[in-house]
Amino acid sequence: MQPLPLNVYQDHDTLTVAQLLLGCELVHESPDGPTAGIIVETEGYITGDPACHAYRRATQRNAAMFGPAGTLYVYQIYNHYNCINVVTGPEGVGEAVLIRALEPTEGIEQMALRRNEAFKTGFERYRNNTIDADTADGFRNLANGPGKLVIALGINRQTHNFASLTDKTGDTSSIFIRGPVLHDFEMVTTTRIGIKFGAELPYRYYIKGNRFVSKK
DNA sequence: TTCATGATCTTCT
DNA sequence: GAAGATCATGAAT
Protein backbone atom coordinates (compact mmCIF):
# COMPACT_ATOMS: atom_id res chain seq x y z
CA MET A 1 0.00 0.00 0.00
CA GLN A 2 1.19 3.48 -0.89
CA PRO A 3 1.79 6.38 1.51
CA LEU A 4 -1.09 8.78 1.96
CA PRO A 5 -0.78 11.57 -0.64
CA LEU A 6 0.05 15.11 0.38
CA ASN A 7 -3.46 16.39 -0.23
CA VAL A 8 -4.81 14.32 2.65
CA TYR A 9 -2.72 16.44 5.02
CA GLN A 10 -3.02 19.84 3.37
CA ASP A 11 -6.59 19.86 1.99
CA HIS A 12 -8.35 19.37 5.33
CA ASP A 13 -8.40 21.31 8.55
CA THR A 14 -6.42 19.95 11.47
CA LEU A 15 -9.29 18.39 13.38
CA THR A 16 -10.48 16.61 10.24
CA VAL A 17 -7.01 15.19 9.62
CA ALA A 18 -6.92 13.96 13.22
CA GLN A 19 -10.06 11.94 12.49
CA LEU A 20 -8.93 10.76 9.05
CA LEU A 21 -5.72 9.31 10.48
CA LEU A 22 -7.62 6.88 12.73
CA GLY A 23 -7.38 3.40 11.24
CA CYS A 24 -4.39 4.30 9.09
CA GLU A 25 -1.03 2.63 9.57
CA LEU A 26 2.09 4.47 10.72
CA VAL A 27 5.18 2.83 9.25
CA HIS A 28 8.87 3.32 10.01
CA GLU A 29 11.31 1.62 7.67
CA SER A 30 14.41 1.74 9.82
CA PRO A 31 17.82 0.12 9.30
CA ASP A 32 16.70 -2.43 11.92
CA GLY A 33 13.74 -3.44 9.79
CA PRO A 34 10.19 -2.21 9.40
CA THR A 35 7.91 -1.54 12.34
CA ALA A 36 4.34 -0.37 12.02
CA GLY A 37 1.07 0.05 13.86
CA ILE A 38 -2.49 1.20 13.28
CA ILE A 39 -3.26 4.66 14.62
CA VAL A 40 -6.06 4.23 17.16
CA GLU A 41 -5.90 7.53 19.07
CA THR A 42 -5.14 11.15 18.06
CA GLU A 43 -5.46 14.69 19.38
CA GLY A 44 -5.68 17.96 17.46
CA TYR A 45 -3.81 21.14 18.42
CA ILE A 46 -4.88 24.26 16.57
CA THR A 47 -4.49 28.03 16.35
CA GLY A 48 -6.07 29.86 19.26
CA ASP A 49 -5.88 26.72 21.39
CA PRO A 50 -4.09 27.49 24.68
CA ALA A 51 -2.78 23.91 24.88
CA CYS A 52 -1.07 24.17 21.51
CA HIS A 53 2.71 24.49 21.61
CA ALA A 54 2.46 27.18 18.95
CA TYR A 55 -0.09 29.20 20.94
CA ARG A 56 2.34 31.93 21.95
CA ARG A 57 4.86 32.18 19.13
CA ALA A 58 7.31 30.29 17.01
CA THR A 59 10.34 29.12 18.98
CA GLN A 60 13.21 26.77 18.34
CA ARG A 61 11.29 23.87 19.84
CA ASN A 62 8.00 24.28 18.00
CA ALA A 63 9.49 25.46 14.66
CA ALA A 64 8.44 22.25 12.88
CA MET A 65 4.78 22.98 13.64
CA PHE A 66 4.95 25.98 11.33
CA GLY A 67 6.30 23.92 8.45
CA PRO A 68 4.24 22.52 5.55
CA ALA A 69 1.50 19.93 6.11
CA GLY A 70 2.58 16.31 5.92
CA THR A 71 5.79 16.71 7.92
CA LEU A 72 6.63 15.61 11.46
CA TYR A 73 7.00 17.60 14.66
CA VAL A 74 8.89 15.62 17.31
CA TYR A 75 9.34 17.13 20.75
CA GLN A 76 10.73 16.03 24.06
CA ILE A 77 8.50 15.99 27.12
CA TYR A 78 8.93 15.10 30.79
CA ASN A 79 12.69 14.82 30.69
CA HIS A 80 13.30 12.08 28.21
CA TYR A 81 10.20 10.98 26.36
CA ASN A 82 9.40 12.07 22.84
CA CYS A 83 6.02 12.58 21.20
CA ILE A 84 5.26 12.84 17.48
CA ASN A 85 2.84 15.12 15.69
CA VAL A 86 1.73 15.24 12.09
CA VAL A 87 1.98 18.86 10.99
CA THR A 88 -1.15 20.27 9.35
CA GLY A 89 -2.39 23.59 8.03
CA PRO A 90 -0.60 25.96 5.64
CA GLU A 91 3.06 26.80 6.05
CA GLY A 92 3.45 29.51 8.69
CA VAL A 93 0.48 28.24 10.72
CA GLY A 94 1.35 26.20 13.81
CA GLU A 95 -1.11 23.32 13.92
CA ALA A 96 -0.59 19.57 14.31
CA VAL A 97 -2.08 16.20 15.18
CA LEU A 98 -0.58 14.27 18.11
CA ILE A 99 -0.40 10.50 17.58
CA ARG A 100 -1.28 9.02 20.96
CA ALA A 101 -1.48 5.24 20.48
CA LEU A 102 -0.84 2.42 18.00
CA GLU A 103 -2.03 -1.13 17.56
CA PRO A 104 1.20 -2.94 16.57
CA THR A 105 1.02 -4.73 13.22
CA GLU A 106 4.56 -5.26 11.95
CA GLY A 107 7.96 -5.83 13.56
CA ILE A 108 6.51 -6.82 16.92
CA GLU A 109 9.78 -8.41 18.01
CA GLN A 110 11.73 -5.29 17.10
CA MET A 111 9.30 -3.12 19.05
CA ALA A 112 9.72 -5.26 22.15
CA LEU A 113 13.50 -5.09 21.73
CA ARG A 114 13.44 -1.31 21.54
CA ARG A 115 11.13 -0.91 24.50
CA ASN A 116 13.26 -3.24 26.62
CA GLU A 117 16.43 -1.48 25.49
CA ALA A 118 14.89 1.80 26.64
CA PHE A 119 14.46 0.31 30.08
CA LYS A 120 18.12 -0.67 30.24
CA THR A 121 19.45 2.67 29.13
CA GLY A 122 16.80 4.73 30.85
CA PHE A 123 16.10 5.12 34.51
CA GLU A 124 18.26 3.06 36.80
CA ARG A 125 15.17 1.99 38.65
CA TYR A 126 13.70 0.36 35.53
CA ARG A 127 16.79 -1.63 34.78
CA ASN A 128 15.22 -4.98 35.62
CA ASN A 129 12.05 -4.30 33.69
CA THR A 130 11.14 -6.30 30.59
CA ILE A 131 8.21 -6.46 28.25
CA ASP A 132 7.24 -9.87 26.91
CA ALA A 133 5.38 -9.24 23.66
CA ASP A 134 4.01 -12.79 23.71
CA THR A 135 1.74 -12.07 26.64
CA ALA A 136 -1.50 -10.16 26.16
CA ASP A 137 -0.40 -7.49 28.61
CA GLY A 138 3.04 -7.12 27.06
CA PHE A 139 1.67 -6.86 23.55
CA ARG A 140 -0.83 -4.23 24.60
CA ASN A 141 1.96 -2.34 26.35
CA LEU A 142 4.18 -1.89 23.31
CA ALA A 143 2.73 1.31 21.88
CA ASN A 144 -0.41 2.29 23.82
CA GLY A 145 0.83 5.79 24.67
CA PRO A 146 2.54 8.69 22.88
CA GLY A 147 5.92 8.18 24.56
CA LYS A 148 5.79 4.42 24.16
CA LEU A 149 5.02 4.37 20.45
CA VAL A 150 7.96 6.65 19.70
CA ILE A 151 10.28 4.20 21.45
CA ALA A 152 8.65 1.16 19.84
CA LEU A 153 9.01 2.57 16.32
CA GLY A 154 12.57 3.77 16.92
CA ILE A 155 11.73 7.42 16.24
CA ASN A 156 14.04 10.13 17.56
CA ARG A 157 13.97 13.87 17.39
CA GLN A 158 17.32 14.34 15.70
CA THR A 159 16.47 12.37 12.59
CA HIS A 160 12.71 12.77 12.40
CA ASN A 161 11.80 16.30 13.49
CA PHE A 162 10.90 18.11 10.21
CA ALA A 163 10.86 14.78 8.32
CA SER A 164 8.39 14.46 5.46
CA LEU A 165 5.68 11.79 5.47
CA THR A 166 5.22 11.98 1.72
CA ASP A 167 8.70 12.42 0.27
CA LYS A 168 10.69 9.22 0.67
CA THR A 169 13.64 10.07 -1.54
CA GLY A 170 16.93 8.71 -0.35
CA ASP A 171 15.91 7.99 3.20
CA THR A 172 17.52 5.23 5.18
CA SER A 173 15.01 5.75 7.94
CA SER A 174 11.75 6.81 6.37
CA ILE A 175 8.40 7.30 8.05
CA PHE A 176 5.07 7.44 6.32
CA ILE A 177 1.39 6.72 6.86
CA ARG A 178 -0.63 4.37 4.67
CA GLY A 179 -4.17 3.24 4.65
CA PRO A 180 -6.72 3.28 5.96
CA VAL A 181 -6.41 -0.38 6.88
CA LEU A 182 -9.27 -0.38 9.36
CA HIS A 183 -12.79 0.47 8.26
CA ASP A 184 -16.22 0.33 9.82
CA PHE A 185 -15.19 1.35 13.31
CA GLU A 186 -16.98 3.71 15.62
CA MET A 187 -15.12 6.86 16.62
CA VAL A 188 -15.28 8.46 20.05
CA THR A 189 -14.76 12.22 20.42
CA THR A 190 -13.70 13.46 23.84
CA THR A 191 -11.39 15.82 25.71
CA ARG A 192 -7.61 15.68 25.63
CA ILE A 193 -5.31 14.13 28.16
CA GLY A 194 -2.52 15.49 30.33
CA ILE A 195 -3.04 19.21 29.68
CA LYS A 196 -4.04 22.08 31.91
CA PHE A 197 -5.26 24.77 29.54
CA GLY A 198 -7.89 24.07 26.92
CA ALA A 199 -8.70 20.82 28.72
CA GLU A 200 -12.39 21.21 27.98
CA LEU A 201 -11.97 21.24 24.20
CA PRO A 202 -13.16 18.01 22.50
CA TYR A 203 -10.16 17.51 20.23
CA ARG A 204 -9.33 13.92 21.11
CA TYR A 205 -10.44 11.04 18.90
CA TYR A 206 -10.10 7.30 19.28
CA ILE A 207 -11.41 4.02 17.92
CA LYS A 208 -14.23 2.79 20.09
CA GLY A 209 -13.52 -0.48 21.88
CA ASN A 210 -9.91 -0.74 20.71
CA ARG A 211 -7.78 -2.14 23.51
CA PHE A 212 -4.67 -0.18 22.53
CA VAL A 213 -6.18 3.22 23.31
CA SER A 214 -4.09 4.76 26.08
CA LYS A 215 -6.94 5.70 28.38
CA LYS A 216 -10.70 5.66 28.18
C1' DT B 1 21.18 33.54 34.90
C1' DT B 2 17.58 31.66 37.23
C1' DC B 3 13.10 29.51 37.64
C1' DA B 4 8.79 27.05 36.92
C1' DT B 5 6.73 23.77 34.19
C1' DG B 6 5.22 19.91 31.78
C1' DA B 7 0.66 16.87 25.13
C1' DT B 8 4.56 10.78 30.21
C1' DC B 9 5.60 6.15 32.10
C1' DT B 10 6.02 3.18 35.75
C1' DT B 11 5.41 1.30 40.25
C1' DC B 12 3.05 1.07 44.50
C1' DT B 13 -1.35 1.21 47.32
C1' DG C 1 -5.57 6.77 42.35
C1' DA C 2 -1.09 8.86 43.69
C1' DA C 3 3.61 10.00 43.32
C1' DG C 4 8.42 9.92 41.74
C1' DA C 5 11.89 10.10 38.13
C1' DT C 6 14.57 14.14 36.25
C1' DC C 7 15.86 18.04 32.67
C1' DA C 8 15.11 20.75 28.19
C1' DT C 9 12.59 24.59 27.07
C1' DG C 10 10.77 29.06 27.35
C1' DA C 11 9.85 33.15 29.96
C1' DA C 12 11.06 36.10 33.51
C1' DT C 13 14.78 38.54 35.86
Side-chain angles (χ1 to χ4, degrees), chain A residues 12-35:
Chain A
H12 305 93
D13 66 73
T14 298
L15 299 180
T16 303
V17 175
Q19 299 170 52
L20 287 175
L21 291 182
L22 289 179
C24 294
E25 193 174 26
L26 179 64
V27 184
H28 180 204
E29 290 175 342
S30 80
D32 301 325
T35 42

Side-chain angles (χ1 to χ4, degrees), chain A residues 29-86:
Chain A
E29 290 175 342
S30 80
D32 301 325
T35 42
I38 299 168
I39 298 168
V40 300
E41 180 180 357
T42 61
E43 288 179 358
Y45 288 86
I46 62 177
T47 301
D49 166 13
C52 182
H53 282 183
Y55 181 58
R56 290 177 176 278
R57 60 161 142 252
T59 63
Q60 192 170 21
R61 176 172 75 148
N62 66 23
M65 289 188 85
F66 294 87
T71 58
L72 284 181
Y73 166 47
V74 185
Y75 71 94
Q76 190 172 33
I77 189 67
Y78 294 110
N79 316 332
H80 59 158
Y81 292 104
N82 288 314
C83 296
I84 59 166
N85 294 250
V86 175

